[in-house]
mmCIF file of all heavy atoms in Angstrom:
data_model
loop_
_atom_site.group_PDB
_atom_site.id
_atom_site.type_symbol
_atom_site.label_atom_id
_atom_site.label_comp_id
_atom_site.label_asym_id
_atom_site.label_seq_id
_atom_site.Cartn_x
_atom_site.Cartn_y
_atom_site.Cartn_z
ATOM 1 N N ILE A 536 -36.011 -41.092 90.345
ATOM 2 C CA ILE A 536 -37.003 -41.647 91.270
ATOM 3 C C ILE A 536 -37.427 -43.073 90.931
ATOM 4 O O ILE A 536 -38.255 -43.647 91.632
ATOM 5 C CB ILE A 536 -38.252 -40.736 91.378
ATOM 6 C CG1 ILE A 536 -39.002 -40.640 90.061
ATOM 7 C CG2 ILE A 536 -37.856 -39.364 91.914
ATOM 8 C CD1 ILE A 536 -40.320 -39.874 90.135
ATOM 9 N N LYS A 537 -36.826 -43.657 89.901
ATOM 10 C CA LYS A 537 -37.182 -45.033 89.527
ATOM 11 C C LYS A 537 -36.834 -46.033 90.619
ATOM 12 O O LYS A 537 -37.526 -47.031 90.801
ATOM 13 C CB LYS A 537 -36.478 -45.440 88.224
ATOM 14 C CG LYS A 537 -37.114 -44.852 86.992
ATOM 15 C CD LYS A 537 -36.393 -45.329 85.747
ATOM 16 C CE LYS A 537 -37.031 -44.742 84.496
ATOM 17 N NZ LYS A 537 -36.295 -45.161 83.286
ATOM 18 N N THR A 538 -35.742 -45.781 91.313
ATOM 19 C CA THR A 538 -35.327 -46.686 92.389
ATOM 20 C C THR A 538 -34.972 -45.863 93.626
ATOM 21 O O THR A 538 -34.537 -44.721 93.523
ATOM 22 C CB THR A 538 -34.103 -47.536 91.982
ATOM 23 O OG1 THR A 538 -33.031 -46.664 91.660
ATOM 24 C CG2 THR A 538 -34.415 -48.443 90.802
ATOM 25 N N GLY A 539 -35.185 -46.469 94.787
ATOM 26 C CA GLY A 539 -34.854 -45.797 96.033
ATOM 27 C C GLY A 539 -36.048 -45.057 96.607
ATOM 28 O O GLY A 539 -37.165 -45.117 96.102
ATOM 29 N N LYS A 540 -35.778 -44.377 97.708
ATOM 30 C CA LYS A 540 -36.806 -43.667 98.467
ATOM 31 C C LYS A 540 -36.537 -42.169 98.366
ATOM 32 O O LYS A 540 -35.481 -41.701 98.772
ATOM 33 C CB LYS A 540 -36.735 -44.133 99.929
ATOM 34 C CG LYS A 540 -37.994 -43.977 100.707
ATOM 35 C CD LYS A 540 -37.864 -44.737 102.029
ATOM 36 C CE LYS A 540 -39.155 -44.710 102.776
ATOM 37 N NZ LYS A 540 -39.090 -45.463 104.008
ATOM 38 N N HIS A 541 -37.501 -41.423 97.835
ATOM 39 C CA HIS A 541 -37.305 -40.011 97.540
ATOM 40 C C HIS A 541 -38.443 -39.178 98.105
ATOM 41 O O HIS A 541 -39.572 -39.655 98.228
ATOM 42 C CB HIS A 541 -37.239 -39.783 96.023
ATOM 43 C CG HIS A 541 -36.272 -40.684 95.346
ATOM 44 N ND1 HIS A 541 -34.932 -40.390 95.249
ATOM 45 C CD2 HIS A 541 -36.427 -41.893 94.763
ATOM 46 C CE1 HIS A 541 -34.309 -41.368 94.626
ATOM 47 N NE2 HIS A 541 -35.193 -42.299 94.321
ATOM 48 N N MET A 542 -38.124 -37.927 98.408
ATOM 49 C CA MET A 542 -39.146 -36.958 98.789
ATOM 50 C C MET A 542 -38.958 -35.756 97.872
ATOM 51 O O MET A 542 -37.914 -35.110 97.880
ATOM 52 C CB MET A 542 -39.009 -36.544 100.257
ATOM 53 C CG MET A 542 -40.147 -35.670 100.741
ATOM 54 S SD MET A 542 -41.807 -36.389 100.616
ATOM 55 C CE MET A 542 -41.634 -37.873 101.609
ATOM 56 N N LEU A 543 -39.978 -35.503 97.056
ATOM 57 C CA LEU A 543 -39.948 -34.361 96.156
ATOM 58 C C LEU A 543 -40.550 -33.160 96.872
ATOM 59 O O LEU A 543 -41.667 -33.237 97.395
ATOM 60 C CB LEU A 543 -40.741 -34.658 94.884
ATOM 61 C CG LEU A 543 -40.344 -35.918 94.122
ATOM 62 C CD1 LEU A 543 -41.185 -36.071 92.862
ATOM 63 C CD2 LEU A 543 -38.877 -35.910 93.777
ATOM 64 N N PHE A 544 -39.807 -32.080 96.906
ATOM 65 C CA PHE A 544 -40.242 -30.827 97.523
ATOM 66 C C PHE A 544 -40.496 -29.845 96.395
ATOM 67 O O PHE A 544 -39.567 -29.335 95.775
ATOM 68 C CB PHE A 544 -39.168 -30.322 98.488
ATOM 69 C CG PHE A 544 -39.364 -28.927 99.001
ATOM 70 C CD1 PHE A 544 -40.598 -28.488 99.462
ATOM 71 C CD2 PHE A 544 -38.299 -28.036 99.032
ATOM 72 C CE1 PHE A 544 -40.769 -27.185 99.935
ATOM 73 C CE2 PHE A 544 -38.456 -26.740 99.514
ATOM 74 C CZ PHE A 544 -39.702 -26.314 99.957
ATOM 75 N N PHE A 545 -41.773 -29.622 96.079
ATOM 76 C CA PHE A 545 -42.167 -28.702 95.016
ATOM 77 C C PHE A 545 -42.198 -27.284 95.564
ATOM 78 O O PHE A 545 -42.850 -27.011 96.569
ATOM 79 C CB PHE A 545 -43.543 -29.073 94.461
ATOM 80 C CG PHE A 545 -43.531 -30.320 93.627
ATOM 81 C CD1 PHE A 545 -43.623 -31.562 94.217
ATOM 82 C CD2 PHE A 545 -43.414 -30.234 92.243
ATOM 83 C CE1 PHE A 545 -43.613 -32.722 93.453
ATOM 84 C CE2 PHE A 545 -43.405 -31.393 91.467
ATOM 85 C CZ PHE A 545 -43.503 -32.636 92.074
ATOM 86 N N THR A 546 -41.507 -26.385 94.881
ATOM 87 C CA THR A 546 -41.353 -25.025 95.354
ATOM 88 C C THR A 546 -41.155 -24.089 94.157
ATOM 89 O O THR A 546 -41.065 -24.543 93.019
ATOM 90 C CB THR A 546 -40.157 -24.936 96.334
ATOM 91 O OG1 THR A 546 -40.093 -23.635 96.886
ATOM 92 C CG2 THR A 546 -38.848 -25.307 95.680
ATOM 93 N N ALA A 547 -41.098 -22.802 94.420
ATOM 94 C CA ALA A 547 -40.762 -21.797 93.405
ATOM 95 C C ALA A 547 -40.198 -20.577 94.115
ATOM 96 O O ALA A 547 -40.563 -20.285 95.259
ATOM 97 C CB ALA A 547 -42.002 -21.413 92.590
ATOM 98 N N ASP A 548 -39.316 -19.876 93.434
ATOM 99 C CA ASP A 548 -38.660 -18.709 94.032
ATOM 100 C C ASP A 548 -39.643 -17.608 94.421
ATOM 101 O O ASP A 548 -39.429 -16.902 95.395
ATOM 102 C CB ASP A 548 -37.616 -18.131 93.067
ATOM 103 C CG ASP A 548 -36.402 -19.029 92.931
ATOM 104 O OD1 ASP A 548 -36.166 -19.868 93.827
ATOM 105 O OD2 ASP A 548 -35.690 -18.883 91.920
ATOM 106 N N TRP A 549 -40.710 -17.447 93.665
ATOM 107 C CA TRP A 549 -41.661 -16.353 93.891
ATOM 108 C C TRP A 549 -42.695 -16.663 94.972
ATOM 109 O O TRP A 549 -43.469 -15.796 95.347
ATOM 110 C CB TRP A 549 -42.391 -16.027 92.583
ATOM 111 C CG TRP A 549 -43.016 -17.235 91.951
ATOM 112 C CD1 TRP A 549 -42.481 -17.998 90.950
ATOM 113 C CD2 TRP A 549 -44.260 -17.844 92.293
ATOM 114 N NE1 TRP A 549 -43.326 -19.046 90.647
ATOM 115 C CE2 TRP A 549 -44.431 -18.973 91.459
ATOM 116 C CE3 TRP A 549 -45.263 -17.555 93.225
ATOM 117 C CZ2 TRP A 549 -45.543 -19.806 91.525
ATOM 118 C CZ3 TRP A 549 -46.378 -18.394 93.284
ATOM 119 C CH2 TRP A 549 -46.511 -19.505 92.444
ATOM 120 N N CYS A 550 -42.715 -17.876 95.491
ATOM 121 C CA CYS A 550 -43.761 -18.353 96.397
ATOM 122 C C CYS A 550 -43.477 -17.955 97.851
ATOM 123 O O CYS A 550 -42.526 -18.458 98.457
ATOM 124 C CB CYS A 550 -43.849 -19.874 96.264
ATOM 125 S SG CYS A 550 -44.834 -20.690 97.518
#
Side-chain angles (χ1 to χ4, degrees):
I536 64 174
K537 283 182 180 178
T538 59
K540 204 168 185 178
H541 309 275
M542 187 59 58
L543 306 182
F544 169 46
F545 288 84
T546 185
D548 289 339
W549 53 263
C550 168

